[in-house]
Amino acid sequence: MATTAAPAGAPAAPRVRRSPLWWPAVAVTAAAAVAYTLLTRRLSGDLQYVLGALRLGGDAGYSPSEVFTHRPFFYRWFVALLDLPTAGGAAVRETVIGVEGALVAAAAALALYAALLRRVTAREAAVTAGATGLALVLAPRTDFLQPEWTAVLLAVLGVAAALGVRRPWPAALLAALPLGLAVMMKYSTASTAAFAVLLVWLADRGRALRVALAAVPAAAALFGLSVLIGSHEWQWTEDMPRINQSALGRTGLRPGEVLAHSVSFLADRALLSPVLLLLPGALLLFLARTRGRARRLELLAVAALVGAGSLAVVIVQGNWFPYHAVQLTVAAAAAWGLAVGGTTGPPPWCFGAVSLAYGALPVLYPHAPGGLQRPATVWALGLLALLAAAADVRRRRPAPARTAALVTLAGVVCLAAPVWPGSPHLVRHGKVTATNAAFLRETAHEEAEAARLRARIPAGARVLYLAFGDTAYYVDRPARCRYPIATFLQRSRFLPDVAALPSFAENADCVDHDPAPYAILDRAWFRLAFVDPGLRARVRATYACPPPSPDTPTVVCTRR
């Protein structure tokens, strides 16, 4: 995150005079985008799953330490703490959680700014930290507050601590806690903590080594603490990877498919967060002002490691969910900030123009002809950004000081691209399958459907949820056991060996012993004909459900 245009230990660059007229326009635009986002963005289905499980499990008498949500211990507590001060309807509670998430992201950006001031100019520190914070706050809904997003936020705090504290060892010890917690968000997020150490390495190798030496035992200690406090944490740590039917360990490595998926995945990721298209150009601008061939090679090596490592995490998990690579988009925003904020000569006007144009890309792209909605189009746009940066590198004509602010304003527009109603919510193989507006319409439909189901269940009555997380979230009737959402039971539909797991047996116990008087069955998600045969027989023996109907796949069942 710190400047790498000069060797470690070099004196800070001279302060750059800022325009008193244009920079406030940047701040106002950013604030307006943030305010709009917080007032209009609803939480994704993944967050609703976690919140629903924690709330319903809490009603059953279990703390976040003891409720299964397919997320590790410390992430469950992070979400539970965000939910603690909320009240009212779903939209109000989600807005409060969104504001809390924005505040912690702003705190991380402020800490990064303070740390960068020790090494770079005020403008470079402000633009870099601001771009990083905006990338977190204005992240696509599918990224926001996910474990990967939270790990990136913690990694930013870790970098800020490592570089901002004057003495190296206290800095390393302070950075060890957020970096260790970053690992604990999902375990696969250990890569995010490793990337943070690499970025510290670019600024100060000695500090990076100290941070690594402190963070590794910190992460191990935090994991041990989670196992000690949570009675089922070790069991779930063993069982959770085995319910992922797409994991590399189950499918095996098929290089051709991995390459095809990677090309498509990166294009989809760039459509959700267009700042990713600017990453190669930002690196070129940054390298152009970096002194020394060895230093340039070091920068390229770290960039390659971050890019390849981010993609490797996605490949290993095998689901190809865009939020698995959120660290790559935040790194792109930080690189953009370093490239633009640290410009000492003519501002990169061509690159700024492309940044502005890509701010409109997500809104325009869904309306493009079907033949243009493909990964090749997105990759061509990335090449265009690289060519624009190359044109700026060759240009030597001076530009007015206000141009730097205008280029930064273009970056703010680009970072805000994911939040508009017409921007993509879901993208697959280069084609937009749902926009933000469509997601909000579907959310209204789900709330209405949940109201219909809730009306058939008395207030306070216990429910067995054989339905996806958003149904449990909106119905909001208390569960009876530590598995509020039957994830392990449902996975036997795809993986018969899941029925042999200890967590499956415990989840099935919710049906077998003292079952809830009501059950909600989503026949599209929990298809009884395909789950474990023994479980299917027990569910049918315990609950009487309405006959199947294509108009109402989700029904309320009563205990026999």
Side-chain angles (χ1 to χ4, degrees), residues 15 26 38 53 98 100 109 209 248 341 347 404 438 441 533 554:
R15 302 292 174 181
V26 176
L38 296 179
E100 292 172 324
L209 291 174
L248 189 64
R441 289 194 297 269
T554 305

Side-chain angles (χ1 to χ4, degrees), residues 172-551:
L173 294 174
L174 184 60
L177 179 60
L179 293 180
L181 286 172
V183 177
M184 292 297 100
M185 290 300 100
K186 200 178 172 184
Y187 307 140
S188 62
T189 50
S191 61
T192 302
F195 300 155
V197 176
L198 285 175
L199 295 177
V200 175
W201 172 274
L202 291 175
D204 191 317
R205 296 177 183 179
R207 286 178 180 253
L209 291 174
R210 290 178 176 89
V211 168
L213 289 173
V216 171
L222 288 169
F223 177 73
L225 182 64
S226 70
V227 172
L228 181 65
I229 297 177
S231 62
H232 287 65
E233 204 63 27
W234 181 257
Q235 173 184 311
W236 290 338
T237 300
E238 289 187 311
D239 288 357
M240 280 192 294
R242 300 173 64 182
I243 65 177
N244 179 9
Q245 67 266 28
S246 301
L248 189 64
R250 283 188 177 272
T251 63
L253 181 62
R254 295 188 285 266
E257 290 187 13
V258 168
L259 178 61
H261 276 301
S262 299
V263 170
S264 177
F265 171 82
L266 289 174
D268 295 347
R269 179 71 260 191
L271 285 172
L272 292 173
S273 300
V275 70
L276 187 57
L277 294 171
L278 305 175
L279 178 57
L283 290 174
L284 178 61
L285 289 172
F286 196 60
L287 288 169
R289 71 170 192 266
T290 300
R291 297 190 297 272
R293 181 180 179 182
R295 188 65 169 169
R296 293 192 187 99
L297 290 175
E298 186 180 39
L299 284 170
L300 286 173
V302 169
L305 284 172
V306 172
S310 298
L311 191 57
V313 171
V314 180
I315 293 170
V316 169
Q317 294 180 86
N319 301 117
W320 302 98
F321 296 148
Y323 65 83
H324 287 166
V326 63
Q327 69 274 16
L328 192 56
T329 62
V330 178
W336 186 96
L338 284 168
V340 172
T343 301
T344 55
W349 182 249
C350 296
F351 188 64
V354 171
S355 301
L356 180 63
Y358 288 0
L361 175 65
V363 177
L364 299 176
Y365 186 88
H367 302 286
L372 288 178
Q373 291 193 32
R374 57 180 61 189
T377 302
V378 183
W379 282 88
L381 293 172
L383 177 60
L384 177 62
L386 181 61
L387 294 175
D392 284 319
V393 169
R394 293 178 61 86
R395 188 169 58 88
R396 293 290 184 266
R397 182 171 57 85
R402 66 175 178 272
T403 308
L406 291 175
V407 173
T408 305
L409 183 60
V412 171
V413 173
C414 184
L415 289 168
V419 305
W420 310 126
S423 298
H425 170 68
L426 295 175
V427 185
R428 184 173 177 80
H429 302 310
K431 294 187 180 296
V432 177
T433 58
T435 63
N436 289 333
F439 170 84
L440 294 176
R441 289 194 297 269
E442 180 62 24
T443 295
H445 172 75
E446 290 176 352
E447 290 181 299
E449 178 67 10
R452 179 186 68 82
L453 297 171
R454 190 167 54 248
R456 302 194 60 184
I457 303 171
R462 304 284 177 170
V463 175
L464 172 69
Y465 290 93
L466 304 177
F468 194 57
D470 51 2
T471 298
Y473 173 80
Y474 287 121
V475 172
D476 198 30
R477 290 287 193 257
R480 187 182 288 280
C481 66
R482 73 173 71 246
Y483 295 84
I485 301 167
T487 305
F488 279 99
L489 305 186
Q490 189 264 354
R491 285 296 190 273
S492 66
R493 167 186 171 184
F494 308 101
L495 303 169
D497 60 321
V498 167
L501 297 178
S503 300
F504 179 93
E506 288 186 349
N507 198 169
D509 192 63
C510 301
V511 180
D512 298 336
H513 297 92
D514 192 21
Y518 295 89
I520 294 180
L521 174 63
D522 180 355
R523 290 191 170 100
W525 182 73
F526 198 96
R527 300 184 67 179
L528 274 176
F530 295 93
V531 299
D532 177 73
L535 171 67
R536 177 170 64 247
R538 297 198 297 275
V539 170
R540 287 175 172 170
T542 304
Y543 292 98
C545 300
S549 168
D551 297 329

Side-chain angles (χ1 to χ4, degrees), residues 1-4 112 115-116 119-120 124-125 128-129 132 152 155-157 159-160 163 195-196 198-203 286 327 330-331 333-335 337-338:
M1 296 293 183
T3 185
T4 53
L112 181 62
L116 291 180
R119 296 169 179 270
V120 300
E124 189 173 5
T128 303
T132 303
V152 173
V156 172
L157 286 172
V159 171
L163 298 177
F195 300 155
L198 285 175
L199 295 177
V200 175
W201 172 274
L202 291 175
F286 196 60
Q327 69 274 16
V330 178
L338 284 168

Side-chain angles (χ1 to χ4, degrees), residues 89-174:
V92 174
R93 299 183 77 172
E94 290 183 16
T95 300
V96 173
I97 290 173
V99 170
E100 292 172 324
L103 288 175
V104 293
L110 184 61
L112 181 62
Y113 170 72
L116 291 180
L117 276 179
R118 294 173 55 87
R119 296 169 179 270
V120 300
T121 67
R123 188 177 74 186
E124 189 173 5
V127 176
T128 303
T132 303
L134 286 177
L136 289 167
V137 176
L138 303 179
R141 178 186 298 105
T142 49
D143 292 348
F144 187 59
L145 294 177
Q146 290 276 21
E148 289 80 359
W149 182 96
T150 310
V152 173
L153 181 143
L154 290 165
V156 172
L157 286 172
V159 171
L163 298 177
V165 177
R166 185 174 61 85
R167 298 176 61 187
W169 271 114
L173 294 174
L174 184 60

Side-chain angles (χ1 to χ4, degrees), residues 45-63:
D46 288 330
L47 263 295
Q48 292 172 350
Y49 165 87
V50 176
L51 284 165
L54 292 175
R55 291 171 183 173
L56 302 179
D59 292 339
Y62 296 97
S63 76

